[in-house]
């Protein structure tokens, strides 16, 4: 069974690569997609549309350009993996989770145990919670088998 | 014009009261609603359904009970105010924002300027960004007039 | 906070009355509704439209008439309570649960622990599982407070 | 005409194989899909995400993982076949039927005559009722012809 | 239980009055609505917007003005009664039935037995078929009771 | 530009063939689909599921089996052509038109001028009215060009 | 029959007052709503949220605040009246028309005959076209009668 | 990442060709579509369905035929580019923008700075504003990369 999987969240570790390589090693029929994961490139997504002197509007323009891609990919996916790391606010990951929940698009959270409490609302609407990329690979392997 | 306003996010300051009192002082025809804002009561929302030994499942049960209320109120509201404070992760606030965005329910963010960058995706889908409760009151006054 | 609650499932015990009276005793602002809970009356819902010689078609006509009411009430409710008793197949209760799940309408299941395994798919999409009417009353009291 | 058919329900008899082989024997352009039909494998779907000491939560995790697959397949299908056998509660089959009904996804029930009465609500929302896999094959042959 | 009922179809007999009076005689909590049932007035609904020399465009303008009312009332109703009489094409009644079906709005057809065959597709998507206004009253009485 | 076109209505003339051949002669990139247009075969669509003694139920079963196909094809199509001939009631064609209208699926009606008045509601929601298959071919040629 | 009517477009003539007074003179049960029709006040809708040095962003903030009101009112209305005057671009009126069309919300355009050609796409999706406020009043009187 | 892009608006300059050629020069995996951009051909889209003596109805027929194509293409696209030139009313472009907004389909506006004020509502619902085709190409290149 073919799956489209959207990978949302943390960009400062290699969890995406681990999941993708783990699925490839298992020959799973899965297509992966992501928002732009290059921080500087993402922050300057709107610069081509004209420079902004205020950081709020620069961020605003870039975030809206990025949203075209994110929105399209979330709507195309069958399931999303939403990763929360140890650092940064990662409100965009929680935003994606809420967006998925309202669209009734299933998602799996990926985060360590120490942030279970602040993520309880996000986990409550998830279909699964994993703590390691290997667990995500196992779950995708299970789902796409047969 | 009558509005139903949902107040989401930070529970450790009195921003809700400031907005509600500011609107009452202006005689605005607005009904406000919120999730349970009492931290301990919210965390124990599921306890009546049986004790849990693992904190993940206790959180899970409580968050799902609270979600019945939150989901119902977001769907009933015309506009949400989503507050991000200085402390805590507040992933639930970002989750509510994503939920509103996917439902095409307008929301106004309320946060200080120093967290503009990490909130850019959340602000990009908002209809407005305010830095003080007074600004929210002014905006609601404007919207509900005439 | 006002809630519309739909009560689905078992008609051979007084769980509905226990919930309704428990909520009244707490002065909760809740409106309850149900399918027709009189077995014989429900089975003959379609008889006024002409007698049927085959039991399949008699059942079919009655079930479709009842579905007008059930469908309308589920769509009007904010949350459903879905009760599974010890006897009978109660496939209609599971059907209502699936219907709620697809509409993203929250529901709480009410059943004893010994049928947790066969109800796992139904419980997995529920917002809560209760074992007694008192627990349902407590949860509705919590949800409708404030 | 190409059809995607989802096969839901009983896992203890070979009705799926009979339908698939019957359609292949007729060279029908039909793609079939199912939930995981291996009982033990299905019950342990969530085990990779961490062991649970309580059976409720083990069931819960596995059912939610399975729901990612079921939900995706139901939404992709054009018509579902929902099978009720002689044994077990099979509430998940009735749940799938309700889910299909709310999504306006057509389904055909497959069950013997002796359970017509308890299945009347499920049959009332179905597009057809069959008593044998051969009848399902005949109906799919009819639908996909021309 | 309160119901909003839309009465669609034949305008040359008093079936609407029979249903409304029958429900009033039973003190049912039902609100009825209809398209404009005055033939000449309905045909000239668009005349105020300017005369048309071609009958197609006169009909077109009037039908579109009437559609504002019909569409609004169908969307507001809980159940529609769709009446097919002995004369005339009554394609608008079948059109309303298809409109209801696609919106998953339940409807009851009201017609005599001799037109069962040409109405089979319309009846197949209905929740009930009645042959007399009395049967409709009985069914509405049943539905709105309790 | 590729189009999927559903052909609904009259089965007693060769209008479908005229449109299909006209489009093929113009090398248009169009896929056509239809309900079963063989009258006897269509009327017996449900017979494989068991004989019925009453004509209402025989019709009902067949119409519901046919509805699986019709519903699927209407939802897959980009535009429907809905044909009303000189004879018969053709309520199913008007039903399909209403179904398309509620789904916001564009349709073109095909009928002679003498039935403009009884079809005014159906034409009012159509995107075009043609009187000959050649006009439909011209319109499809125009739409699929470039 | 009660109607909610949204009045969109031109703010430089008294067409709104003419329609409202005409309906009041006829005692029609209609509630009217509008965007803010005070040009300066509308342009400064976002000023309370902080001054902007660039006119694009000042406009952007104000337009988004106004959109909260417009969106809410369009979704609440049963029918919109969309007015195009002789001057100005009035792209917001055409935008509202497109918004209504996509939501399947009926609207009536109000404009003089000399701009029929550039408004053909907007009129094509409308339920009616009027050239004077009196015609709109007549149409609303017709629709809300009975 | 593959994108379907709909190009809406001005037909009197070569902005479409500039964007298409710019994307081809960058080997982007993008499919472009448009309404009919030949003015005379577009105005006569409905002529094959019979001549009209009144210009309103000729425009009406043509606009409705064109709407079949436009509606289908907007619903198929991932993002729309909506161009406003210096001349003409271009209400159809604003209409398309409103249609996209209500469907939550992202769009980018393309217009010069001097019409920022009258386009503020259209820009407020856009994901980006560009002033040159090159900026659009850069943005599409960014979006479809990786």
């Amino acid at each position: 069974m073919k799956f489209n999987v959207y990978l949302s969240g943390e960009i400062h570790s290699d969890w995406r690569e681990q999941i993708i390589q783990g699925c490839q090693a298992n020959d799973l029929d899965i297509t992966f997609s992501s928002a732009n994961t290059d921080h500087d490139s993402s922050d300057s997504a709107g610069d081509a549309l004209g420079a902004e002197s205020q950081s709020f509007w620069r961020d605003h323009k870039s975030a809206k350009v990025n949203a075209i891609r994110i929105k399209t990919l979330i709507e195309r996916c069958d399931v999303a993996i939403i990763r929360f790391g140890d650092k940064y606010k990662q409100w965009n990951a929680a935003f994606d989770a809420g967006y998925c929940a309202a669209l009734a698009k299933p998602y799996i959270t990926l985060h360590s145990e120490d942030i279970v409490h602040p993520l309880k609302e996000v986990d409550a609407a998830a279909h699964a919670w994993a703590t390691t990329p290997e667990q995500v690979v196992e779950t995708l392997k299970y789902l796409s088998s047969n």
Side-chain angles (χ1 to χ4, degrees), chain A:
Chain A
M1 177 185 168
K2 184 171 178 46
F3 268 95
N4 287 307
V5 177
Y6 182 70
L7 303 170
S8 168
E10 195 197 19
I11 59 172
H12 301 285
S13 75
D14 68 345
W15 68 277
R16 280 182 178 79
E17 289 66 33
Q18 289 187 52
I19 291 175
I20 295 171
Q21 288 167 12
C23 288
Q24 286 173 339
N26 282 283
D27 271 328
L28 305 185
D29 190 10
I30 295 181
T31 307
F32 292 97
S33 62
S34 283
N36 182 1
T37 58
D38 180 302
H39 199 156
D40 289 343
S41 162
S42 174
D43 280 0
S44 60
D47 289 0
L49 299 167
E52 293 295 330
S53 50
Q54 282 185 275
S55 64
F56 179 81
W57 293 119
R58 188 195 179 218
D59 278 348
H60 200 68
K61 281 170 70 171
S62 292
K64 281 186 141 178
V65 167
N66 285 323
I68 298 175
R69 180 177 168 101
I70 293 169
K71 179 178 164 45
T72 303
L73 291 172
I74 287 182
E75 286 170 11
R76 284 184 192 168
C77 84
D78 298 306
V79 61
I81 313 299
I82 302 186
R83 164 70 182 161
F84 294 88
D86 299 330
K87 301 180 207 152
Y88 308 105
K89 296 291 191 180
Q90 305 166 95
W91 284 319
N92 59 322
F95 180 87
D96 284 356
Y99 199 90
C100 285
L103 295 183
K105 190 77 72 178
Y107 64 88
I108 298 171
T109 56
L110 171 60
H111 60 81
S112 61
E113 191 151 10
D114 57 322
I115 47 177
V116 155
H117 192 64
L119 278 170
K120 60 186 180 299
E121 288 87 0
V122 175
D123 284 341
H127 272 66
W129 161 47
T131 53
T132 67
E134 289 72 28
Q135 288 181 325
V136 174
V137 172
E138 277 309 297
T139 303
L140 292 174
K141 183 179 173 184
Y142 172 79
L143 286 171
S144 64
S145 296
N146 309 302

